[in-house]
Amino acid sequence: MNDKLVLCIPGQWKDEEKLVRKLTRKSRGEYAITGGLLLDTKRNRAFEIQIEEHDPQLTEAFYYASKGDFSDKTSQKVEKHTKVIYLSGYMGSPESVQRIIAPVQTLLEAGGIAVKIENSGKAFTPEEWNAIGEEARLDQLLNTMISYMQDEHYFYSCGMHMFGLPDVALSKETDPDASMQVMSQFLYRIMNAGEGTEEKQDEFKLYGATYLYNHQEGFFHEENSFLSNPNGIYVLNEEQ
């Protein structure tokens, strides 16, 4: 289940035919839906598309994915959605992630209310998504697409498998105010270097602190979950 980049886009389209017509009109024929595919005729690309009926659980899912930051107006629109689009494509590199930004923008222009990345559990308004841009830098992609979570023992990232890389976990003994910066800086380092998932232990230094890290298999999500990272996870511990 976690080998595809999957995005959820609810909308208030009356029926599938109205959606197709509006998409064609808004994109001036650049995009078309046929045979379960969204075709990008300008760039010669195709994405899998699935159109489903109203989902009563979607409102709550978007509330948590947006961390409650959606306006009441946006939340009410999500609640009143009539159709749900699931758009999916290949993942595993920054380039593959960038390729799906434009088609999602077009679907939002064609009546999509919001978008949720199933692989990181993060949601965006159309305005937030449009701010990403097709030529986003690595740090912009990282800050935009990756979410951060916590359990009883760790702070951890979620979604790095979209780039073909491990996630990171940091002991909750670390200062909570510093945890986000440590994790994001570490992820940027491995993303920029294109490091793999080989078994290793090394160290990472930031602002005078040294963090020892080693690679482990992921243990925060069920294996068949979109959130599960098959590339594993780097576990950081601050050296005392």
Side-chain angles (χ1 to χ4, degrees):
M1 181 181 291
N2 58 358
D3 61 343
K4 292 286 182 69
L5 174 59
V6 181
L7 298 104
C8 172
I9 307 163
Q12 294 178 340
W13 303 285
K14 183 178 180 180
D15 52 43
E16 190 171 329
E17 184 180 347
K18 292 285 181 62
L19 162 60
V20 171
R21 286 209 303 266
K22 191 168 185 179
L23 175 67
T24 302
R25 186 173 70 254
K26 286 289 184 179
S27 69
R28 297 182 179 181
E30 184 175 322
Y31 287 91
I33 297 175
T34 180
L37 295 174
L38 174 66
L39 303 179
D40 180 344
T41 60
K42 179 180 179 180
R43 302 170 184 84
N44 195 27
R45 298 170 183 166
F47 305 87
E48 294 178 22
I49 189 168
Q50 186 175 348
I51 303 172
E52 299 186 357
E53 299 300 318
H54 176 87
D55 181 351
Q57 297 181 333
L58 214 59
T59 305
E60 183 178 11
F62 268 79
Y63 174 82
Y64 287 112
S66 69
K67 299 187 183 300
D69 289 340
F70 276 6
S71 66
D72 290 343
K73 182 178 180 180
T74 299
S75 296
Q76 288 169 6
K77 285 183 177 180
V78 172
E79 184 176 8
K80 295 178 180 178
H81 74 275
T82 56
K83 302 287 183 184
V84 185
I85 291 175
Y86 287 94
L87 187 71
S88 60
Y90 293 109
M91 65 179 182
S93 69
E95 293 76 20
S96 61
V97 173
Q98 286 174 322
R99 287 189 194 107
I100 210 166
I101 291 173
V104 171
Q105 287 176 334
T106 303
L107 288 168
L108 291 171
E109 291 170 2
I113 298 165
V115 55
K116 179 164 74 76
I117 304 173
E118 298 294 309
N119 307 84
S120 65
K122 197 169 182 181
F124 306 82
T125 64
E127 294 75 19
E128 291 168 337
W129 186 264
N130 290 337
I132 302 173
E134 285 187 80
E135 304 300 325
R137 302 188 310 268
L138 288 181
D139 59 326
Q140 293 174 317
L141 284 176
L142 185 65
N143 293 335
T144 302
M145 311 297 277
I146 301 303
S147 62
Y148 295 92
M149 304 180 182
Q150 60 180 293
D151 65 6
E152 185 179 353
H153 303 291
Y154 292 96
F155 300 108
Y156 60 95
S157 68
C158 184
M160 285 299 288
H161 50 308
M162 291 187 286
F163 303 105
L165 292 167
D167 275 290
V168 64
L170 183 64
S171 169
K172 292 189 78 171
E173 294 178 2
T174 307
D175 179 1
D177 293 333
S179 63
M180 183 79 75
Q181 191 164 20
V182 172
M183 289 190 292
S184 63
Q185 289 290 329
F186 180 82
L187 291 177
Y188 180 70
R189 171 185 166 178
I190 66 171
M191 193 170 174
N192 197 48
E195 291 188 8
T197 62
E198 66 273 13
E199 295 290 339
K200 60 188 289 186
Q201 177 152 341
D202 211 330
E203 62 180 34
F204 169 66
K205 295 184 178 182
L206 184 68
Y207 303 132
T210 299
Y211 300 87
L212 299 178
Y213 67 90
N214 60 84
H215 179 262
Q216 299 181 19
E217 295 303 313
F219 49 83
F220 292 107
H221 305 288
E222 294 294 330
E223 187 175 345
N224 63 348
S225 166
F226 283 120
L227 301 176
S228 176
N229 189 339
N231 304 297
I233 193 163
Y234 283 119
V235 180
L236 275 62
N237 288 286
E238 186 173 2
E239 188 177 46
Q240 301 301 318

